[in-house]
Amino acid sequence: DAGVTQSPTHLIKTRGQQVTLRCSPKSGHDTVSWYQQALGQGPQFIFQYYEEEERQRGNFPDRFSGHQFPNYSSELNVNALLLGDSALYLCASRLAGTGVDIQYFGAGTRLSVL
Amino acid sequence: GQQLNQSPQSMFIQEGEDVSMNCTSSSIFNTWLWYKQDPGEGPVLLIALYKAGELTSNGRLTAQFGITRKDSFLNISASIPSDVGIYFCAGPFNYGQNFVFGPGTRLSVLP
């Protein structure tokens, strides 16, 4: 049973470019959340997707957008990249209706913006 | 917004020693979670606490939910090299659908 998988593992972009990160949730999970983890800090909540809709959003600008597909996988898109967008982007999945602690994280995508 | 503080920021200990770290908040939480993150990996849940005063163990790890509901503590007994990593506390927001993380405590274990 595969856990949460994310791709790519590493990515290098330049300022102003756009990037798409992908996440496949753990088998049986239907809710996906995205987090940004800057170097030396804890993860920060970006948004959550359930039933192909954005359900909750953290304090991130509209340059950050996402999508969830019918198979529950999800994408995170970031437009007009800034140097400050360099971070580890984590995806977490869970099954709706279960407790808040039953959330599994992927290994993340390391994004470097030059 | 809600913010969690963790102390110490980092610590170096000898293998076999016990470790204590804590997490504080300006807001009341109804749940406290403790995660560990290894290099190149996502956070892994260690212990979840649901009730003020609760003391919960997971092997050599013991965590406590503070009486004020504004703090939590994590203890590791008889540390081993694989305890190296970053330990995060986290608390739920938005009706428990997602959570806020502390900045982490980085633990190094010296042989």
Side-chain angles (χ1 to χ4, degrees):
Chain A
D1 174 27
V4 179
T5 58
Q6 294 186 241
S7 63
T9 54
H10 294 85
L11 203 51
I12 298 175
K13 292 285 187 178
T14 57
R15 279 179 298 176
Q17 284 189 313
Q18 178 265 342
V19 68
T20 298
L21 311 181
R22 296 175 177 82
C23 171
S24 291
K26 182 178 170 62
S27 177
H29 287 184
D30 57 8
T31 302
V32 173
S33 298
W34 287 92
Y35 290 79
Q36 181 194 66
Q37 186 176 20
L39 199 61
Q41 297 182 22
Q44 269 196 296
F45 173 67
I46 303 175
F47 43 53
Q48 180 193 75
Y49 275 84
Y50 171 64
E51 291 186 334
E52 302 179 47
E53 290 188 13
E54 183 183 297
R55 298 292 176 168
Q56 294 184 16
R57 190 178 184 91
N59 189 25
F60 280 81
D62 292 344
R63 297 187 297 109
F64 289 78
S65 63
H67 189 78
Q68 186 179 35
F69 299 93
N71 67 353
Y72 308 119
S73 67
S74 177
E75 288 182 349
L76 164 65
N77 301 294
V78 187
N79 294 321
L81 284 167
L82 304 173
L83 296 179
D85 294 331
S86 296
L88 179 68
Y89 288 85
L90 294 163
C91 170
S93 75
R94 67 183 185 91
L95 179 62
T98 58
V100 64
D101 51 282
I102 313 300
Q103 187 166 153
Y104 296 84
F105 283 85
T109 294
R110 173 74 62 188
L111 172 64
S112 298
V113 182
L114 306 179
Chain B
Q2 294 172 319
Q3 190 169 347
L4 299 180
N5 299 303
Q6 289 187 247
S7 65
Q9 191 174 34
S10 63
M11 53 196 318
F12 293 82
I13 61 169
Q14 293 290 138
E15 184 176 352
E17 287 184 346
D18 296 343
V19 174
S20 291
M21 61 188 77
N22 73 328
C23 180
T24 59
S25 168
S26 57
S27 305
I28 289 175
F29 281 99
N30 293 317
T31 300
W32 284 97
L33 308 173
W34 284 93
Y35 284 83
K36 178 181 182 238
Q37 186 173 27
D38 292 328
E41 300 291 332
V44 174
L45 182 67
L46 299 173
I47 293 179
L49 301 161
Y50 300 104
K51 187 177 175 182
E54 179 183 353
L55 191 69
T56 298
S57 294
N58 178 8
R60 294 178 297 106
L61 277 61
T62 301
Q64 184 162 22
F65 194 138
I67 292 294
T68 65
R69 293 198 285 158
K70 291 185 177 182
D71 56 8
S72 179
F73 308 88
L74 177 68
N75 297 309
I76 304 173
S77 63
S79 58
I80 60 178
S82 63
D83 291 333
V84 167
I86 304 176
Y87 292 79
F88 293 101
C89 61
F93 66 99
N94 283 346
Y95 305 102
Q97 294 302 300
N98 282 291
F99 34 95
V100 59
F101 282 79
T105 291
R106 184 180 295 273
L107 177 64
S108 299
V109 179
L110 307 174

